[in-house]
Amino acid sequence: MPTNPGAHGEDGATNNKTSMTSNQASGPAASQPTDAKPTDTKPSDVKPADAKPSAAASTDETLNAHVKGGSGSVAGGAGKKNGGKRHWIWLLVAAVVVVALVFVFVVVRKPKSQEAQGRQADTVTIGLKLAPTNLDIRNQSGSALDQVLVGNVYEGIVTRDSNNKVIPSIAKSWEKSADGMSYTFHLNQGMVFSNGDKLDAHDVAWSIEELVKRGYHDAESMQNFKSATALDANTVRIDLTAPYANLLWTLTGRPGLVFDQKAQYDPKTQAVGSGPYTIAKFTPNDSITLKANPKYQGANKAKTKTVVLRYFGDDNAAVNALKSGDVQVLAPVTENLAEPFEKDSEHFTVSAGDDTDKYVLAMNSKGDKTGDKRVREAIRYGINHKELIASRGGADKPMGGPISSLDPGYQDLTGLYPYNQAKAKALMKEAGYTPDHPLELRLTYANTYGTELGDQLRSQLKAIGIDLKVNVVEFSTWLQDVYNNKDYDLSLVDHNESHDFSQWVNTMYYYNYDNAQVRDFYNKAMAASTDKERDGYLAQAAKQVSRDAPADWLFNYRITTAMRKGVKGFPLNLNQTLLPLYGVTYTQVGK
Amino acid sequence: MADAKSRNRRISGRGDASLAKKIAVVLRSLWARGEGKFALVVLALWLVVSLVSLVWTPQSLWTTDGYHVWAKPSAAHWLGTDGTGSDVFSWLMAGARTNLLIAVLAVALAGVLGMALTAAMVSRSAAVSGVAVVVVDALISIPTVLIALILAVPMGASVAVIVIACGIGYGLNLARIARPQALLAAGSDYVDSALANGASWFSVLMHHIMPNTMPTMTVQLSLSAGTAVLAESGLTYLGVGVPSGVPSWGHSLATSVKFIDVYPLTVLWPGLIVTVVVVALNVFGDALRDAVDPVANPALREVA
């Protein structure tokens, strides 16, 4: 299930590489005095030049010199006595203005920067895009909730690092039985929830049992689950009915979160967790204020007292907030909109982080036109991924298969169907279509992704004999037509989940893809006893999927984050689903 | 009956003969006015560009160059390129014909609907006129945007949504504004005498009542055309207007407005065009009112 289509920026494109020399680089402080000087000193400077043609008509040098120096700038014929006086008045005014300006810059501005420099801010404000509608992480879907709560307010039994690898959290270590059927976790000691309750193995076991028993969000990903038992106060064992190679990673998400079984609170607006932050204020669709949890005992103690998350539906408003200093970080920022910040490298840093978003151009494997493998292959050969990525600003990565570089089983498959118009045309001709007799196909996708991708695909596929009708629809229409009824030729979705290869073995999924060998590889991978074995099988499965061309992977979307200079510890990778904020600090630098 | 028919034929025959002359007089007096000149030039340009775009645009609409997106104006791209690398000028040219089509269809629909409703509202049957008045008054309170949003649910984004929504919205307005004049005509002595002479109510409606509402109608329709252009931009921006891939000014605006901070120029062009055209249509309406009114335009009296 694409829980979050259009999760992140979808917008069109820019070429940021045009290295415009920095008119902003000099900065406001530097430019202002230089700007001010010529205008302020103008009266005295301009006078002689003005006076020359009108008044200095004489050939007598001394007379001319006299006229030059004496004539007032306004009243040319007002007489020399008067003019002389005005000259001094103007000079005086100019001098006062210059001195005043210098005073402003030296006296007023400097202390400000001295005061700000080197002092760490108490509050860091972060601009995000997708807002959670409530805080009920057990029942409410959407990656916006994982982003703010997991690792910040609630902690899992284990968690992930920025490379999507499992690392300790509430459990400091674990071991797996030889048959892969049971996992024993050894917990940290002395942990408490933010309400003061003790956190021990009973809370952990209870949380996992509850999840499965009550079918909370994501419970279905706990495959082959049998039981979770507290062996003693600091040890938990999870038993499975069959080996499941994804278990540990699954526990880094919602299924592994540990809740206080005694706490009474409204989970929609409040949260009681064991993380480094507590929820101080929650305004739906607007902002969430996190305060450092004073009772927190773990290793990830919050470095900044208050972190405010502000949500911007509108890209322009978000960019303006970063410009004006209302927020110090913006994630994600549409690559094209980031251009002004990239140019102003004195005050901002712009960087892209890896993520697991796959822009999947699904081709209905059982469609009456796309059922023909030659057509699907032609489409893959006919798409110029480099151009697509360039038009989006160049941050994204090409990908040739269903597994992104941060997921197990990744290998570079971009060589399988490289951009080759001639080959694409030949395949289309074989299938009976030419640019003069094009094949008509519908591309249906949700309007969250903008129209640019559709327009570009239409343009690219036109060359190989495909007349693409682009249907940009509401997400609900997409769900109905494409996802549920599978009534589509081509579709486009940003599948942003990690470890989501299972969608290619689900024959009921909207891809209509069915390959027994892929299913076999996948099952072997899930039953594998080592990660290496698992990754090997997954890689083989992915290669087979890519060969069958049930989809084209347009690119691996990477999140562009723009922040003020002086922000440290903000995670760049995966920050739309996992945003650990304990290390974030802001120290104002420069002016 | 036969007598009445032949008289009607005579009247309409004379009307056709003088219609061309009347139009010529109206155009001349429009041209004589400064704002009329401006409006005529803009509208003529709109028509010409629309026709030319059918056979020629500087660049093919479906050529996208992803390596040169948001390019600055150049010899190859007169107004630069947009976010997909398409030529902005070509899209604006092609957009002219979509907007012209929308304006014409919306005005036609509004005109037909407006006249039908006006006729109903001055009907001699008290029940029909009473119901019509209530219906018009009730429906007029529904904003055009809302009608469009409701229509877009089953129809999706399409030109038809804009045309129907605008047609309904402006048709209701039209009927509301034309009603007093139609009522005045309906109660006049010449209508009474025509009826006494055996003319049918329909022919009276066509030949006496409707012509009396014409000055108001033409002005109102001209304003509606301008509002339809605005509505296209607004609705397309909201995502219920023209579908993706159909060139229109609203489409050009909607795709570029996301980047107004970084590439303000691309928003400026479609915005400027929409503004100029809407101003021209509004001014045209004002000028037309004076030009087609025999009281205000003595030249017209001479032709008639």
Side-chain angles (χ1 to χ4, degrees), chain A residues 561-590:
Chain A
T561 300
M563 48 192 164
R564 283 208 166 252
K565 271 270 162 70
V567 174
K568 296 228 158 52
F570 188 84
L572 295 175
N573 282 6
L574 292 164
N575 68 20
Q576 295 308 294
T577 42
L578 195 75
L579 184 64
L581 290 167
Y582 63 87
V584 172
T585 57
Y586 175 53
T587 313
Q588 199 176 340
V589 292

Side-chain angles (χ1 to χ4, degrees), chain B residues 13-297:
Chain B
R14 200 188 62 198
D16 285 346
S18 64
L19 193 65
K21 264 192 213 163
K22 268 191 188 167
I23 290 176
V25 169
V26 166
L27 283 178
R28 254 202 306 280
S29 42
L30 271 177
W31 187 253
R33 306 160 60 98
E35 72 263 37
K37 212 175 275 177
F38 166 74
L40 283 178
V41 167
V42 170
L43 298 184
L45 210 60
W46 188 11
L47 189 68
V48 168
V49 169
S50 301
L51 292 176
V52 169
S53 77
L54 285 173
V55 290
W56 177 84
T57 50
Q59 305 271 334
S60 158
L61 285 186
W62 308 118
T63 307
T64 58
D65 178 359
Y67 296 112
H68 297 101
V69 294
W70 302 113
K72 292 200 168 65
S74 65
H77 302 287
W78 296 349
L79 298 181
T81 61
D82 66 9
T84 59
S86 307
D87 184 45
V88 169
F89 187 75
S90 303
W91 273 78
L92 288 175
M93 268 186 81
R97 62 173 187 248
T98 311
N99 281 73
L100 187 62
L101 180 80
I102 288 171
V104 167
L105 288 180
V107 162
L109 183 62
V112 170
L113 188 70
M115 283 197 223
L117 287 172
T118 311
M121 289 202 293
V122 297
S123 164
R124 285 195 300 169
S125 150
V128 172
S129 64
V131 168
V133 168
V134 170
V135 166
V136 168
D137 275 356
L139 290 183
I140 213 163
S141 62
I142 303 175
T144 311
V145 174
L146 190 60
I147 303 176
L149 288 173
I150 293 167
L151 284 171
V153 173
M155 297 171 72
S158 75
V159 170
V161 167
I162 307 174
V163 169
I164 295 174
C166 291
I168 292 174
Y170 307 156
L172 290 166
N173 253 321
L174 199 62
R176 202 39 210 280
I177 288 165
R179 180 171 168 259
Q181 262 159 335
L183 266 184
L184 214 63
S188 67
D189 292 345
Y190 52 84
V191 164
D192 285 345
S193 67
L195 287 172
N197 272 322
S200 71
W201 176 246
F202 184 73
S203 87
V204 166
L205 206 61
M206 284 292 119
H207 295 109
H208 297 296
I209 298 178
M210 281 308 159
N212 264 294
T213 64
M214 270 310 144
T216 316
M217 288 249 185
T218 32
V219 174
Q220 210 51 40
L221 286 174
S222 158
L223 292 176
S224 298
T227 323
V229 172
L230 278 183
E232 187 276 324
S233 302
L235 292 174
T236 304
Y237 179 73
L238 289 178
V240 296
V242 298
S244 145
V246 175
S248 81
W249 296 333
H251 176 273
S252 294
L253 259 180
T255 52
S256 51
V257 82
K258 276 181 283 186
F259 298 109
I260 190 168
D261 265 5
V262 193
Y263 308 102
L265 266 187
T266 44
V267 186
L268 180 72
W269 305 126
L272 204 64
I273 291 174
V274 168
T275 311
V276 167
V277 165
V278 171
V279 166
L281 282 167
N282 284 4
V283 165
F284 183 72
D286 281 343
L288 197 63
R289 179 184 52 216
D290 294 344
V292 296
D293 187 354
V295 180
N297 189 355

Side-chain angles (χ1 to χ4, degrees), chain A residues 11-15 316 319-320 323 334 336-337 339-340 384 386-387 390-391 451-452 455-456 458-459 462 470 472, chain B residues 60 62-70 72 83-85 91 157 244-245 251 255 257-263:
Chain A
D11 301 303
T14 299
N15 192 352
N316 280 309
V319 164
N320 286 332
K323 256 185 211 158
T334 304
N336 292 326
L337 283 173
E339 207 185 314
N384 185 348
K386 275 196 187 131
E387 188 186 325
S391 75
T451 58
E452 287 88 355
D455 287 343
Q456 285 176 308
R458 184 199 344 249
S459 155
K462 198 181 174 215
V470 182
V472 182
Chain B
S60 158
W62 308 118
T63 307
T64 58
D65 178 359
Y67 296 112
H68 297 101
V69 294
W70 302 113
K72 292 200 168 65
T84 59
W91 273 78
S244 145
H251 176 273
T255 52
V257 82
K258 276 181 283 186
F259 298 109
I260 190 168
D261 265 5
V262 193
Y263 308 102

